[in-house]
Amino acid sequence: MRKTVKFGGSSLASAEQFQKVKSIVERDAARRFVVVSAPGKRFSGDDKITDLLYRCQALRASGASFDAEFQAIADRFTGIRDGLNLDLPVEAEIDEIRSRIEAGTTPDYAASRGEYLCGKLLAAYLGIPFLDAATFVRFRDDGTYDDEATMRRAAVVSQTERAVIPGFYGSRRDGHIRTFSRGGSDITGAIVARMTESDVYENWTDVSGFLMTDPKIVPDAKVIETVTYSELRELSYMGATVLHEDSIFPVRKARIPIHVLNTNDPDAKGTMIVPDSMATDKEHARPLTGIAGRRGYTVITLTRDNLHAEPGFAYRVLGILAKNGIAAERTPSGIDTISLVIDDKRLTGKMDQLYHDLMVECVPDTVEIASCIALIASVGIGMVRNKDVAARLFQALADADVNARLIDQDSNEMNIIVGVEQRDFERAVSAIYHAFA
């Protein structure tokens, strides 16, 4: 058994949190590759190390002093070192980082040093080697991640017995540091899991897995014990967030399960994310896995008699969207109608031109525009095996006095999308949850 484990910023925010991480790693000898984020917030109002590093670089670029911000960074790392009674001269590394920032280094280099120093400290504390991600995670010259070049360096990691690896960054061909987007340590962890052919990728954070729905709406929402990659993709797209979205693909490709666990409650079951083919009969029999949604949509409905019999109508509609640089989230249709569900952010400054083009090029009988719409996705791989899912869902909405303005279901029967007025969003989510929890 081989495991890659990744610890988030909250898990490494202080010496006390480092002690929890060490206990977790040493509890299971299979936890051989440890990927780390930069130290996060210790308490409300505290600063994340990555934020401070970005701030230092920006202040230097503007000609302002960054003494206070950098001192806070130095104090955090020396405080963790001293709190763990480590004999590690991190001051030299800290001085080097300051010198590079003073010399005008890039934001990517500055931001990456949080993970770098955190990895150095944890490696010393665990007594295992430190392996710099810059030696094997590769980016192209245009700044995009290069998976092929990275995987050619798999031996750098796979031939190592154990290692602590900083997340979030790699390097370009010229050796310059390049970072992923924020939260990118999740991606590094997934890359390492794939490189080492790990049996499980454990992602340790400050929550005990995925919840069935947003706890701000349903405070007692249950934890999802098992979710498939396909279900997670649907839920993440509609706003459910625990992992960086791009972190799913390296391990999904290698069919490696992800186990989301809580550093502050290591005995909790957490959530296991598995390939669709690994879903058990129990998961398939479960009618609903989770509910997620987002506000801020507009629905444009075009009506025209016998629209279904008119070749090319939908093609013209989609062409108009493309011409205006607008993507539709969904396009439900009927015999005489086609609807465009569009994120409001995509329509900013474009609505008038879009309306004009639709009227001139498609000549609809009517155009109805409904704004302030929220979309709610009810997701479950077991929907196809449960005949009453839709009935229970819409009965729950009716009982809650919520009108469904739009209904759409994917052809794989794993996702029912309902559009409701934004003012009904929380009431609708709560109603659906309690109908299936």
Side-chain angles (χ1 to χ4, degrees):
M1 173 69 76
R2 182 186 292 115
K3 294 180 180 180
T4 293
V5 297
K6 180 263 175 182
F7 290 93
S10 61
S11 300
L12 295 159
S14 64
E16 180 184 7
Q17 291 299 98
F18 267 66
Q19 291 166 358
K20 293 178 183 178
V21 167
K22 183 176 183 178
S23 175
I24 289 167
V25 172
E26 293 183 344
R27 178 190 290 187
D28 186 347
R31 293 174 176 140
R32 291 169 47 188
F33 301 95
V34 184
V35 177
V36 300
S37 295
K41 293 183 178 183
R42 295 160 294 183
F43 46 80
S44 177
D46 195 17
D47 287 304
K48 296 180 179 180
I49 289 295
T50 302
D51 290 336
L52 288 171
L53 286 163
Y54 272 127
R55 203 176 304 161
C56 287
Q57 192 278 334
L59 287 168
R60 168 62 185 83
S62 68
S65 170
F66 59 90
D67 289 348
E69 287 77 8
F70 198 83
Q71 189 61 52
I73 295 168
D75 289 346
R76 180 80 75 90
F77 282 111
T78 56
I80 292 172
R81 189 266 317 269
D82 295 343
L84 299 175
N85 297 314
L86 290 174
D87 183 19
L88 186 70
V90 293
E91 288 85 356
E93 299 272 15
I94 292 170
D95 289 345
E96 169 66 15
I97 295 167
R98 183 182 180 98
S99 295
R100 293 284 295 271
I101 294 175
E102 286 177 338
T105 192
T106 64
D108 283 21
Y109 172 83
S112 72
R113 297 305 87 182
E115 278 76 11
Y116 175 83
L117 285 177
C118 190
K120 286 276 191 173
L121 283 170
L122 187 61
Y125 188 46
L126 295 177
I128 61 179
F130 171 83
L131 179 60
D132 194 346
T135 63
F136 64 90
V137 176
R138 286 290 182 262
F139 289 82
R140 301 181 184 89
D141 292 340
D142 64 1
T144 58
Y145 169 64
D146 190 338
D147 186 63
E148 184 178 343
T150 298
M151 293 310 295
R152 285 200 299 267
R153 291 166 174 76
V156 174
V157 183
S158 62
Q159 293 180 2
T160 304
E161 188 64 27
R162 301 188 73 194
V164 173
I165 301 166
F168 186 42
Y169 71 90
S171 64
R172 300 186 316 201
R173 288 188 301 176
D174 61 7
H176 284 89
I177 295 296
R178 174 70 179 177
T179 62
F180 291 106
S181 59
R182 291 297 294 266
S185 292
D186 287 339
I187 305 174
T188 309
I191 292 169
V192 171
R194 181 180 167 200
M195 281 184 161
T196 58
E197 298 180 346
S198 293
D199 298 286
V200 177
Y201 167 36
E202 292 182 347
N203 194 293
W204 292 82
T205 180
D206 55 4
V207 295
S208 297
F210 287 98
L211 300 179
M212 274 190 69
T213 195
D214 187 344
K216 294 177 182 176
I217 300 175
V218 182
D220 59 347
K222 296 178 181 178
V223 173
I224 304 171
E225 291 190 7
T226 306
V227 61
T228 66
Y229 283 123
S230 293
E231 289 173 318
L232 180 62
R233 173 72 172 157
E234 297 282 354
L235 290 167
S236 296
Y237 181 74
M238 289 304 295
T241 56
V242 172
L243 296 179
H244 191 295
E245 186 176 348
D246 292 340
S247 70
I248 300 300
F249 295 102
V251 284
R252 181 177 186 176
K253 188 172 184 178
R255 302 185 73 254
I256 298 171
I258 303 174
H259 200 178
V260 180
L261 294 157
N262 189 344
T263 303
N264 300 315
D265 187 9
D267 294 323
K269 288 184 178 180
T271 297
M272 185 69 79
I273 307 166
V274 301
D276 296 3
S277 60
M278 290 177 61
T280 66
D281 290 341
K282 180 180 179 181
E283 274 81 56
H284 281 291
R286 181 184 58 204
L288 200 65
T289 298
I291 306 135
R294 289 188 293 178
R295 300 175 175 85
Y297 290 94
T298 292
V299 180
I300 303 173
T301 301
L302 286 73
T303 302
R304 183 174 172 133
D305 285 343
N306 294 316
L307 180 152
H308 70 288
E310 183 177 336
F313 190 89
Y315 176 81
R316 292 200 301 277
V317 171
L318 295 177
I320 292 168
L321 288 178
K323 182 175 70 174
N324 285 276
I326 299 170
E329 300 281 333
R330 314 192 76 81
T331 56
S333 61
I335 296 176
D336 298 321
T337 64
I338 183 169
S339 295
L340 309 173
V341 183
I342 304 172
D343 190 318
D344 288 345
K345 293 188 291 292
R346 299 181 185 273
L347 287 172
T348 303
K350 297 180 178 180
M351 175 61 89
D352 290 344
Q353 186 62 50
L354 176 62
Y355 180 83
H356 173 270
D357 291 346
L358 289 171
M359 293 299 294
V360 171
E361 298 182 37
C362 297
V363 195
D365 295 336
T366 63
V367 175
E368 179 185 349
I369 300 175
S371 57
C372 298
I373 299 295
L375 296 186
I376 300 168
S378 299
V379 177
I381 199 170
M383 280 187 181
V384 69
R385 290 173 171 80
N386 288 267
K387 297 178 181 179
D388 67 340
V389 173
R392 289 167 63 185
L393 190 154
F394 292 112
Q395 186 61 56
L397 292 178
D399 291 344
D401 196 28
V402 174
N403 179 41
R405 295 290 305 270
L406 175 148
I407 301 167
D408 195 16
Q409 183 171 22
D410 289 342
S411 58
N412 60 14
E413 296 187 58
M414 189 176 67
N415 189 2
I416 296 176
I417 298 285
V418 177
V420 303
E421 299 283 352
Q422 284 187 168
R423 63 175 180 270
D424 295 330
F425 175 68
E426 294 189 355
R427 188 150 40 100
V429 169
S430 179
I432 295 172
Y433 173 83
H434 288 102
F436 291 92

